[in-house]
Amino acid sequence: MWSRRSLVQWIGRLSSNRLLSSSVYGMSVLYFILLILLPAILGVLMRLGSVEQVLGNQPLLSRSLSAVASSFVLASAVSVLDIIAGLPLAWVIVRKKAKWVRLLDALVDLPLIVPTVTLGFSVLLFWSSSGPLGYLGLPALSPGWVLVVLLHFSFSYPVVVRVLVGKMLELNLVYETAAKTLGATPFTAARTITLPLLSSGVVASLLLAFARSLSETGATIMVAGAFENGPVFIRNSLSEGLEGPLVFTSLVLITVSVAIFYTVKALKVNLQVPFERANVSLERKLSRGKVTTVGFYVAVAILLIFVVLPVVSLSLNYAPAVLDTEIAREVLSGSGIWGDFWSGVLLSYAVGCVVTILNVIFSIPMAVLISRRKLGMMSSMILNGLVSVPIVIPSVALGVSMMFFWSNVSLPEFWLIVFSHLSITYPYLVESLVAALDDIPTYLEETARTLGADSFRSFATITLPLARYSLLSGAILTFTRSVDETGATLAVSSQLRTVPVLLVDWVKNPFPGSELAVGIGTLVLLLTSIAILVVLKKISGGERNA
Amino acid sequence: MPEIGLRGVTKRFEETTAIDDVSMTVRDREYLCVVGPTGSGKSTLLRLIAGLVRADRGSILIDGHVVNDVPPERRNAALMPQNYALFPHMTAWQNVSYGPASRGLDPEFIETRTRRLFRVVKLQNWAKAYPDQLSGGMQQRVALIRCLAGGAKILLLDEPLGALDARLRLDLRRRLKGFARRFKLTVVHVTHDQAEAISLGDRVLLLRRGRVEQEGTPRRLYFNPRSIFAASFIGERVLLEGVTRETHEGLARIEVSGIGSVLAVAKGLARGDLAVLSVRRESLRFAGPSDRDMNRMKGVVRDIRPLGAYFRYSIELPRGNLVHAHVPSSVALESSVSQGSEVELCFSPRETLAYGYPMRGLALEVEAL
């Protein structure tokens, strides 16, 4: 106890040294610019010359352009579908009081826990002839763009619902009630009052789903078949050893997605529908109990069929194999392919830990810089905008850029993977911390100062403890995203294979017994990811919720 | 001897000047109330003293030392913000012992002192509660003793009673003053409520647009407001407009349309000047036969409201404007005046103050800003 007190006081004395505190902030900005931002963009620009390979080759050019176009069409279609199906579901979760709604609420979180490769394999299996469709004698879906759409829907839909639920919970019901007392039917009130108030949330979740769909690589490769979107094309070019298409496609992906993202943000799209044009009698019909109930059940059915059932079916399918002692012994022994599997798992978690620790350390001062406007209004806004760049860039393009950027320095592959994951996950931590800090009033820290706490102590004892849930959830998100990541990992690594990359490999290059191996592997991955989350929840739980 | 001084202090925020060349002194153990409309710079003044914002010009002194460069934690001036800023993740006990612990004081000493303070405000049984488990009044008490636990002798209160309901507010006003005396504190108490300032302050300082409009004892501010703004901000007044007819030895005769000639105390008014007259509502009373040498006006009673110690009569003057007279309840209860009665009001020239007509118009001048 004594030593802890004196440590805090010692740091406190150091922190009143202006030079020292500005050098901490300076380091965090340098970290962001040199390690996170620049490599993600500059690498591709450094190889701009090789673009000629593509520009001079008509078939290659049209193939890569159509791949990029597919990426954006896919992402737009999926995010719009997410919103259409997500709004009613979010509505049910927020407004219905029934007990089954809580179960629904938990189910929505399921795909956030399931590693994307597991989800990919689930989708592949569920719609194949060996899945329930085959059972019922219905035509199965073979790998191709339809499966890709289903897959992207299944991992982005829960994200959208989560964001929408959060925004709806923040809404004040007073406005809607007021609209109803003024004569609006429930549907009209929802359309003219609630939806416009929600528009920022809708836009935010659209962008999030859009970015996620653009980025997803590993699971997409599993179900894509001959279909090529940007990430799949880049992966194919990687295995063909062509540099031109890599640079060209990455460059186009980066430029267009950054442009779209910031245009949408700048326009602050307003979703309000002019209420004069309301069709009153139609809306009255839509407001009737039956119509809304049907709508809600459809939303729930979509969640179950497209998101929950594939995962459940995969688990049921391979649970017997995992429980079989013979097989379990072989898996645990780590012989043959299982040796690769376990070293992949180890690598994934090692990378995840390093990435989480580094980003936690460097994102805290950055979040303070942004939220407390230490550099003035303008620079804080610019920094805040720049921080989200790595989220926007499709991760495989980011990986390609990273690979070229660090190619002059002979960096061990482990660190290449770490660096690319740092870049991809950095925004999640900073953004969740900034949001948390924005919610913590500055007067708390100020009051602590007037009571005798120096600036470091007031931050460490007041602000940081109040932000710890956001810090923890940001750290969990960082860790799971890193473990889950395939796009950038594929791009930067040639020898080392993280576990999702390995599983994608097994699907793409089958060998005898590979399907069972992938099934078991994805299931093991799912179980460990659940176990880690449970442990983390235990650690963070039990304390008083402030 | 905690004494606070400001010497020509100016603080700008981008376009606006929050505090404009303010000089003032708060003496040791003095209870100073700073009052003013929203946006007059009250909170900035407090934050300047606390060290949370830096002055652009001028110097701030505590105990005679310039403290412009001293960080807040070393000024020994504890701030209590309007919402108390109790740390939500700490118990009441942890909140109170936060200051001394931050100063690295001896744990045993902290323990004894915190315990004593909890006893003073009779919250011994609530020490383990979290702020959101305490009532508004309890939170305020915890916030108060938290300010003192670290040994601060300067207490900076920002609207300390603003978040409480009306009944509790009156009760706590008295306690606040007793508390300050008991602990020998120098207090700067910021409020927008003139009644609070008048009833609490040893001295009152009226701020307006970042400048000191007037300062002095409550009595002085109440009875001798220096400007029409001060007059309308402190206390409730009747304002009448007129033209100066003649002036003589600090008195002026002013012609008010619909009322006639009114005698008033005036400074700096000349013949022909437009003037504004200010009369406190309680200075108005029903005229009797013995009231000679008094100003008078006639009107029709439109509304009567009993408001505790006094009744408020709303009286319509011949030109259609409404004035309010506060008549002691004992008088009002005996009176035969009822709604619709024609009455004659009288008021003493000594309690009638005349000011030059403000350049930008009366309504803008007395409006809060």
Side-chain angles (χ1 to χ4, degrees):
Chain A
M1 195 61 207
W2 184 86
S3 63
R4 201 178 136 207
R5 236 178 75 204
S6 62
L7 177 72
V8 168
Q9 272 168 12
W10 177 71
I11 298 177
R13 230 168 293 142
L14 283 182
S15 79
S16 42
N17 184 336
R18 283 185 85 85
L19 191 69
L20 197 82
S21 63
S22 19
S23 65
V24 168
Y25 288 130
M27 289 235 305
S28 74
V29 173
L30 277 183
Y31 174 86
F32 168 62
I33 291 174
L34 295 183
L35 224 51
I36 308 288
L37 186 63
L38 285 187
I41 295 169
L42 270 192
V44 179
L45 296 178
M46 281 157 62
R47 297 299 173 105
L48 212 52
S50 59
V51 165
E52 273 172 49
Q53 281 176 21
V54 182
L55 294 179
N57 183 335
Q58 194 53 44
L60 198 57
L61 179 66
S62 64
R63 193 178 141 207
S64 80
L65 281 180
S66 85
V68 170
S70 310
S71 261
F72 287 108
V73 171
L74 174 69
S76 320
V78 165
S79 41
V80 170
L81 282 178
D82 283 335
I83 293 289
I84 293 173
L87 274 172
L89 188 61
W91 197 279
V92 177
I93 291 176
V94 173
R95 298 290 170 85
K96 291 256 177 197
K97 300 279 182 279
K99 271 212 176 111
W100 57 272
V101 172
R102 300 201 52 169
L103 179 70
L104 205 62
D105 196 17
L107 279 181
V108 170
D109 278 339
L110 183 69
L112 300 177
I113 301 166
V114 180
T116 323
V117 279
T118 308
L119 203 59
F121 194 59
S122 308
V123 168
L124 184 65
L125 213 67
F126 187 74
W127 302 103
S128 74
S129 52
S130 56
L133 282 187
Y135 242 46
L136 298 172
L138 294 169
L141 293 175
S142 52
W145 67 269
V146 181
L147 269 193
V148 174
V149 171
L150 288 177
L151 167 76
H152 282 223
F153 179 77
S154 70
F155 68 70
S156 56
Y157 183 57
V159 179
V160 167
V161 174
R162 264 284 144 260
V163 176
L164 289 177
V165 165
K167 293 281 176 184
M168 277 190 194
L169 284 175
E170 285 171 14
L171 277 190
N172 194 337
L173 274 180
V174 151
Y175 305 116
E176 211 177 295
T177 316
K180 284 181 193 162
T181 65
L182 295 173
T185 59
F187 186 86
T188 313
R191 182 178 57 79
T192 54
I193 307 295
T194 314
L195 209 56
L197 288 175
L198 262 183
S199 65
S200 73
V202 170
V203 172
S205 51
L206 260 178
L207 285 178
L208 204 58
F210 190 80
R212 282 294 290 265
S213 167
L214 274 186
S215 264
E216 214 299 316
T217 312
T220 312
I221 292 169
M222 277 184 173
V223 302
F227 171 77
E228 271 187 337
N229 69 351
V232 175
F233 175 71
I234 288 179
R235 193 257 180 187
N236 291 342
S237 316
L238 268 170
S239 49
E240 286 158 29
L242 290 170
E243 189 181 306
L246 281 185
V247 175
F248 178 76
T249 317
S250 303
L251 192 65
V252 177
L253 278 175
I254 293 174
T255 323
V256 177
S257 47
V258 169
I260 289 179
F261 189 79
Y262 287 97
T263 316
V264 172
K265 273 210 155 179
L267 288 179
K268 289 216 172 108
V269 184
N270 191 353
L271 292 177
Q272 185 165 17
V273 190
F275 69 87
E276 293 89 336
R277 258 177 260 154
N279 183 337
V280 175
S281 66
L282 175 72
E283 299 202 339
R284 198 165 290 149
K285 275 182 203 143
L286 284 174
S287 297
R288 287 204 188 121
K290 264 185 198 158
V291 180
T292 45
T293 316
V294 168
F296 294 152
Y297 282 125
V298 169
V300 174
I302 288 174
L303 175 74
L304 292 179
I305 296 173
F306 294 103
V307 182
V308 177
L309 280 187
V311 178
V312 173
S313 138
L314 173 92
S315 311
L316 291 179
N317 216 338
Y318 291 102
V322 173
L323 294 174
D324 185 310
T325 44
E326 195 89 343
I327 296 177
R329 193 171 302 145
E330 194 196 324
V331 171
L332 289 175
S333 73
S335 59
I337 53 164
W338 295 109
D340 294 347
F341 179 78
W342 289 115
S343 57
V345 169
L346 199 66
L347 175 66
S348 285
Y349 288 144
V351 170
C353 288
V354 174
V355 166
T356 308
I357 292 169
L358 281 176
N359 268 349
V360 164
I361 292 173
F362 285 97
S363 62
I364 293 175
M366 189 61 163
V368 174
L369 272 184
I370 293 173
S371 173
R372 297 293 188 240
R373 318 217 186 291
K374 296 266 182 195
L375 300 173
M377 192 71 180
M378 200 59 200
S379 359
S380 290
M381 272 174 63
I382 292 173
L383 267 184
N384 200 17
L386 285 179
V387 159
S388 37
V389 167
I391 283 195
V392 182
I393 298 178
S395 70
V396 68
L398 185 144
V400 168
S401 202
M402 282 270 172
M403 174 182 76
F404 289 132
F405 186 86
W406 295 109
S407 60
N408 297 329
V409 193
S410 59
L411 212 57
E413 221 169 278
F414 177 80
W415 287 105
L416 261 181
I417 299 175
V418 167
F419 282 4
S420 61
H421 288 199
L422 281 180
S423 186
I424 288 165
T425 57
Y426 184 80
Y428 293 100
L429 253 174
V430 176
E431 280 178 1
S432 79
L433 270 177
V434 167
L437 290 182
D438 283 346
D439 281 346
I440 298 172
T442 46
Y443 60 72
L444 287 180
E445 235 182 272
E446 288 174 352
T447 309
R449 296 286 305 271
T450 72
L451 293 174
D454 54 59
S455 59
F456 174 78
R457 191 184 155 85
S458 57
F459 179 75
T461 55
I462 308 294
T463 309
L464 207 53
L466 287 174
R468 68 185 185 276
Y469 290 99
S470 301
L471 185 63
L472 194 76
S473 68
I476 293 176
L477 198 59
T478 300
F479 184 78
T480 50
R481 285 287 289 161
S482 163
V483 171
D484 215 15
E485 218 300 310
T486 46
T489 320
L490 271 172
V492 296
S493 62
S494 50
Q495 307 297 317
L496 293 177
R497 284 188 297 180
T498 60
V499 70
V501 170
L502 181 81
L503 291 171
V504 172
D505 245 19
W506 285 359
V507 171
K508 289 311 277 187
N509 309 306
F511 50 85
S514 65
E515 196 183 308
L516 180 67
V518 175
I520 294 171
T522 48
L523 202 55
V524 169
L525 205 56
L526 173 60
L527 293 177
T528 38
S529 126
I530 291 173
I532 288 173
L533 279 177
V534 168
V535 170
L536 284 176
K537 283 251 156 117
K538 271 261 152 32
I539 296 172
S540 65
E543 276 181 75
R544 202 188 116 87
N545 197 332
Chain B
M1 292 280 282
E3 201 177 78
I4 307 165
L6 268 71
R7 305 276 175 268
V9 171
T10 296
K11 176 68 195 171
R12 270 187 214 93
F13 293 111
E14 279 150 33
E15 301 294 290
T16 56
T17 306
I19 288 291
D20 190 0
D21 191 25
V22 165
S23 297
M24 60 175 246
T25 308
V26 192
R27 288 184 288 272
D28 183 33
R29 297 185 206 180
E30 186 176 36
Y31 200 112
L32 176 77
C33 281
V34 178
V35 68
T38 311
S40 57
K42 305 182 302 268
S43 293
T44 307
L45 186 72
L46 221 51
R47 293 162 63 80
L48 279 163
I49 299 171
L52 296 170
V53 290
R54 289 176 67 88
D56 295 325
R57 262 193 289 129
S59 45
I60 298 167
L61 294 89
I62 292 179
D63 292 343
H65 301 291
V66 175
V67 293
N68 287 32
D69 293 323
V70 176
E73 64 266 24
R74 293 216 297 271
R75 290 196 184 189
N76 239 348
L79 171 73
M80 186 170 112
Q82 177 165 16
N83 40 33
Y84 315 135
L86 290 176
F87 308 134
H89 58 304
M90 295 181 186
T91 60
W93 181 276
Q94 288 168 329
N95 264 285
V96 174
S97 56
Y98 185 86
S102 296
R103 297 210 150 94
L105 300 185
D106 172 54
E108 251 175 69
F109 173 78
I110 296 176
E111 169 96 20
T112 339
R113 173 172 236 165
T114 309
R115 196 177 300 282
R116 203 188 111 220
L117 286 168
F118 269 98
R119 260 205 309 278
V120 169
V121 293
K122 302 195 176 66
L123 284 175
Q124 303 93 307
N125 298 328
W126 292 90
K128 288 205 178 87
Y130 283 91
D132 57 5
Q133 297 165 328
L134 301 172
S135 72
M138 290 175 177
Q139 290 182 12
Q140 196 231 29
R141 270 134 75 195
V142 172
L144 260 180
I145 59 174
R146 182 177 71 175
C147 289
L148 305 185
K153 284 292 172 195
I154 294 174
L155 192 55
L156 306 171
L157 306 172
D158 194 353
E159 301 275 4
L161 304 169
L164 304 168
D165 61 63
R167 188 180 277 272
L168 201 54
R169 196 151 57 208
L170 289 180
D171 182 36
L172 287 173
R173 247 190 223 171
R174 275 181 288 114
R175 289 209 210 169
L176 208 52
K177 189 68 182 273
F179 198 77
R181 283 230 181 87
R182 172 167 182 176
F183 288 94
K184 304 189 170 87
L185 302 172
T186 303
V187 182
V188 182
H189 173 140
V190 156
T191 176
H192 66 269
D193 180 353
Q194 48 91 18
E196 194 173 301
I198 294 287
S199 63
L200 265 172
D202 297 330
R203 230 157 26 98
V204 176
L205 186 139
L206 175 62
L207 269 187
R208 182 198 193 191
R209 290 192 228 131
R211 286 176 159 275
V212 178
E213 181 81 7
Q214 188 172 3
E215 69 168 301
T217 59
R219 193 188 164 97
R220 209 178 112 153
L221 255 79
Y222 196 80
F223 291 102
N224 294 307
R226 229 188 56 193
S227 62
I228 191 70
F229 172 78
S232 62
F233 197 82
I234 310 271
E236 292 181 291
R237 319 254 167 182
V238 171
L239 299 179
L240 302 165
E241 302 170 30
V243 184
T244 314
R245 287 298 175 218
E246 56 180 312
T247 59
H248 179 66
E249 285 179 0
L251 281 179
R253 193 168 63 78
I254 290 157
E255 188 75 23
V256 180
S257 85
I259 292 178
S261 183
V262 172
L263 271 180
V265 177
K267 262 180 232 150
L269 277 181
R271 208 173 140 179
D273 282 354
L274 282 177
V276 180
L277 293 168
S278 150
V279 187
R280 279 175 289 110
R281 288 180 181 180
E282 68 271 21
S283 303
L284 296 174
R285 55 191 173 83
F286 299 125
S290 60
D291 289 316
R292 276 166 293 144
D293 303 330
M294 294 286 259
N295 295 318
R296 286 162 185 270
M297 58 185 175
K298 284 192 178 133
V300 179
V301 175
R302 291 294 176 214
D303 188 40
I304 306 174
R305 298 275 152 184
L307 295 174
Y310 60 87
F311 276 52
R312 188 186 67 198
Y313 289 77
S314 303
I315 292 152
E316 191 181 327
L317 299 184
R319 299 295 296 261
N321 48 335
L322 213 58
V323 297
H324 303 285
H326 291 173
V327 177
S329 295
S330 53
V331 176
L333 284 169
E334 299 292 316
S335 160
S336 59
V337 172
S338 63
Q339 205 163 316
S341 306
E342 267 199 46
V343 291
E344 189 173 25
L345 295 167
C346 69
F347 49 104
S348 153
R350 273 179 296 116
E351 293 179 59
T352 309
L353 307 174
Y355 303 92
Y357 196 86
M359 297 234 285
R360 45 182 207 152
L362 185 57
L364 267 181
E365 182 73 6
V366 301
E367 210 174 70
L369 290 170

